[in-house]
Amino acid sequence: MENAQKQFHLSRRSKLLNILDENSLVIVLGSTNVPRSYDDIHRFKQNKNFYYFTGFNQPNATLLMAPGGMEIYDEKTNRIVKTKEALFVQKADPLKETWFGKRLGFDKVKSELGINYALENSKLGDIISDVLSGDNINKIYVSLNDLDALDGEIKDQLKGFTRSWITLSTNVQLMDLNYIVGKMRFVKNDFEIEQIRYASTVTASAFYNSIQQVKPGMYEYQVQAMLEYYYKKFGCADVAFETIVAGGNNTCILHYNTNRNKIKAGDLLLIDSGAEYNYYNGDLTRTIPVSGKFTKEQREIYQIVLDAQYAVIKKIKPGVKLTDLKKYSVEQLKKGVQKLGLLKKGHDITEYTLHGVGHHIGLDTHDAVANKNIGKTDFDTLLVGNIITVEPGLYFPESAKEIPAKYRKIGVRIEDDVLVTKTGREVLSDALPKEVEDIEFLMME
Ligand SMILES: [Mn+2]
């Protein structure tokens, strides 16, 4: 692992150790393989919180951390080791590695990942019970969701822990880890910003190259194939989420991702997609005219959404509230729609705007970070280092009979990834055109 990345994960572990009480034990559970069908498994996806602290991308691993230190008996040296962190990994196994790929092995953890101490998984159960048998741990932090979903060899190792919980729980509090990690992940540090910048740049570049090749008569999945070809070509191993390529009335289905329909001349095509780089995500949307030129009505709706997006982006700076941006976005869209005379009595603009203005983006596309004001805690106000999407949309489906026919089957969303900076904002995906003329120029024969 590159040094910069090692330092990043180290800084996350240090920060967590600093936040928590001396008497805490943290159990961060990695993912295991998930069956796909028969003897096949899904592409391995590491648990994002586990990745945040380790950068380790192999299944069945667990990280233990204790701010006050843990005493672990080391069989090899016959000595007690005192450490604040210990990673448990799969046993190196030449036969299994021949079939299923390399395993790091516990002896390479320190040099490869920079985590102080490591052992094989077979020791995890005993070590947790040893650490808990002392009288210094009175809080255990673990993700209850991950504990519930636990499978594979870690599940076996944690059986003793879950069974003994009934007696343990009179003295020790079980705390959910996700809340604290969600707060930590709220602001991105420089390493993370660089990963997201790359994911966003590759996504923009793939859009740029693919949009030029869109023609009537193609299938939605063919546009998807082009996009994802460029993601892989530029070193992004996966998509951030299932790519949405939606033509015609499908533009009005928010999470349409079957992508099986033919793209028709005269329709709009909405593409919402992102590349994943080093587990960090990009997320962009462009809406383009299949024939290369917007109709008058398509252009009118498009321009309302584009103006709203510019207006919202312009407002972004530290101290601004995400909920205010959302309100502002809806106001802007409403004004535009009213001006066209499309907002009829008895109808509300939110029937056509459907969703909020954006979301935090990071290790998860809709990032699993603190995002709501609960009690006195404020996670609504934007801070330097937040990365959010800005993605207003207007949707007039075929079924919206109150809207003149010419304006139906028009769904428009425009989405960019925006970093909050000291002086305001930086649009990470700024290189990708979105002006009407620029899109039409891009699509010219
Ligand atoms: Mn999005």
Side-chain angles (χ1 to χ4, degrees), residues 272 283 359 365-366 389 391 415:
D272 183 347
D283 180 9
H359 50 85
T365 304
H366 296 172
T389 66
E391 49 178 315
E415 176 178 31

Side-chain angles (χ1 to χ4, degrees), residues 74-87:
D74 189 273
E75 282 173 4
K76 259 188 156 177
T77 55
N78 202 15
R79 276 162 52 184
I80 304 273
V81 174
K82 187 148 184 177
T83 180
K84 290 186 178 183
E85 55 182 25
L87 186 71

Side-chain angles (χ1 to χ4, degrees), residues 124-158:
L124 176 64
D126 287 346
I127 284 174
I128 290 183
S129 84
D130 274 2
V131 171
L132 292 176
S133 69
D135 53 8
N136 59 329
I137 299 296
N138 64 14
K139 272 184 196 143
I140 298 175
Y141 288 86
V142 65
S143 158
L144 296 182
N145 183 58
D146 296 344
L147 199 59
D148 182 52
L150 205 55
D151 209 349
E153 53 189 84
I154 304 297
K155 185 178 186 176
D156 296 336
Q157 288 294 319
L158 260 64

Side-chain angles (χ1 to χ4, degrees), residues 76 155 231 255-256 304 311 385:
K76 259 188 156 177
K155 185 178 186 176
Y231 295 167
H255 288 183
Y256 174 84
I304 294 170

